[in-house]
Amino acid sequence: MEPGTLVRDHTIYACVMGSRAFGLATEGSDTDRRGVFLAPTPLFWRFEKPPTHVEGPAEEQFSWELERFCELALRANPNVLECLHSPLVESVDDTGRELLALREAFLSRRVHETFSRYAHGQRRKLDADVRAHGAPRWKHAMHLLRLLTSARDLLRTGVLTIDVGDRRESLLAVKRGEVPWPEVESRMGLLVEEGEEAARRSPLPAEPDRRRVEDFLVRVRRASALRAGQTEPYDEVVRGVVRGGGVGQD
C-alpha cells in the first residue's frame, strides 16, 4: 500500500499545528498539518512493514502510524503531545476519538526532562546566532518562550494547553525583534526556574499509563484484522489468535 494511500484512506485523526494552533498566526503563516493513520493489521504480517510516518501528500503535512505515535507520546515527545492537544481538529473518526480520550494517559513528569532537553537544544542555537550575528532568530526565540511557558504550566496543572491566549501580543513583540535580547534571556531563565520548581510539586504521575495505551493499541489492531477477515480468506488459526485466543486454543 502506497504511503499516500495510508494517509488518505486510513487517517484516524488530523489537526492543524504550528503558529495557527498556538494562537500566534499572522497573515503570512503557513498551515502545518499533522495526523495519525492506522495501517491495516495484515500489512504487518509481510516482510515489508508499513511506514512509521509519512511526509505529505500535501505540503506541510506529516503523519505518524498509530503505534509510532503512541510510542513517542509515551516518551513525552513535545511535538507529539502537542499534536494530541491541538485546538484545531480537522478530522477524527471513532478510533481517533478513543485516542484523544487517552490524552491524560500519556502525560507524566517525564515531560520535564523531554521539554527541557528540547528547549536546551533550541537555546544553544539561539546563543550561536547571537554570537555569529549579534541577534537571535526572533521567531525561534518567541517559540522557545512559548514552549517553556507551556511546559511550566503543564507541570503545575497537569493540563497541556498550547494556545497562548492573552500572551499572544507579548510573544509577537519578541518575534518582531521589539524586545531586547537580554530581556528575552531573563524571561527564559525565569521560566526554566519556574519549570524546575513546578516539576518538584507536579500533580502528574511519575510514569505514563503504558498499560492503558497498549490495551487500546492491541484492541484496535485486532479489530482491524477482523475487518480484513470479512473480505479475505483467513487460516482458522489466525482467526482464533486475532479473536483473542492462542495457537492450540478453541
Side-chain angles (χ1 to χ4, degrees):
M1 187 174 290
E2 292 295 321
T5 302
L6 286 169
V7 173
R8 186 183 67 246
D9 295 345
H10 297 280
T11 290
I12 63 171
Y13 170 65
C15 67
V16 172
M17 285 301 301
S19 294
R20 297 192 183 281
F22 301 144
L24 292 168
T26 56
E27 186 175 343
S29 295
D30 294 330
T31 300
D32 300 320
R33 288 184 165 85
R34 299 292 180 266
V36 182
F37 63 90
L38 174 63
T41 299
L43 295 182
F44 291 91
W45 298 339
R46 304 174 180 178
F47 286 122
E48 185 177 353
K49 308 301 181 186
T52 59
H53 63 270
V54 174
E55 293 190 43
E59 292 186 11
E60 307 297 335
Q61 183 180 16
F62 187 97
S63 301
W64 295 269
E65 205 284 322
L66 177 61
E67 183 174 342
R68 178 60 172 167
F69 185 85
C70 289
E71 179 185 13
L72 291 172
L74 286 168
R75 295 180 186 176
N77 178 285
N79 291 324
V80 169
L81 290 181
E82 289 184 335
C83 179
L84 269 176
H85 292 78
S86 173
L88 303 178
V89 176
E90 291 196 312
S91 67
V92 61
D93 66 6
D94 288 344
T95 304
R97 278 184 278 274
E98 286 192 67
L99 175 65
L100 294 180
L102 285 171
R103 283 184 290 203
E104 66 176 21
F106 293 105
L107 296 177
S108 71
R109 290 198 294 274
R110 286 187 180 187
V111 300
H112 181 237
E113 177 186 353
T114 56
F115 277 63
S116 295
R117 185 167 60 241
Y118 182 81
H120 181 67
Q122 295 302 304
R123 177 59 190 273
R124 289 179 61 184
K125 293 178 182 179
L126 291 173
D127 290 339
D129 286 337
V130 172
R131 289 192 299 270
H133 308 292
R137 298 183 187 183
W138 293 110
K139 179 180 178 179
H140 294 180
M142 174 192 72
H143 280 297
L144 180 51
L145 285 170
R146 180 204 64 78
L147 180 75
L148 289 169
T149 303
S150 179
R152 179 202 63 187
D153 293 347
L154 168 58
L155 288 163
R156 282 178 173 177
T157 66
V159 177
L160 179 56
T161 302
I162 68 172
D163 189 304
V164 300
D166 59 9
R167 296 189 295 272
R168 170 182 164 86
E169 291 307 318
S170 65
L171 287 168
L172 288 178
V174 172
K175 181 181 178 181
R176 293 190 295 265
E178 297 171 358
V179 183
W181 174 239
E183 182 177 336
V184 175
E185 280 189 302
S186 178
R187 289 189 198 176
M188 290 177 178
L190 179 60
L191 286 168
V192 168
E193 292 177 6
E194 291 176 344
E196 291 174 351
E197 176 62 23
R200 289 190 286 270
R201 303 172 179 270
S202 180
L204 290 173
E207 297 292 332
D209 193 342
R210 184 181 181 91
R211 179 66 174 273
R212 184 179 167 195
V213 175
E214 188 171 58
D215 286 347
F216 160 72
L217 181 62
V218 169
R219 179 164 44 80
V220 168
R221 290 275 192 246
R222 181 175 293 150
S224 173
L226 290 172
R227 282 195 300 271
Q230 294 173 3
T231 57
E232 299 178 13
Y234 274 74
D235 184 274
E236 287 302 318
V237 173
V238 174
R239 289 179 184 271
V241 170
V242 299
R243 286 184 175 133
V247 176
Q249 295 179 338
D250 294 332

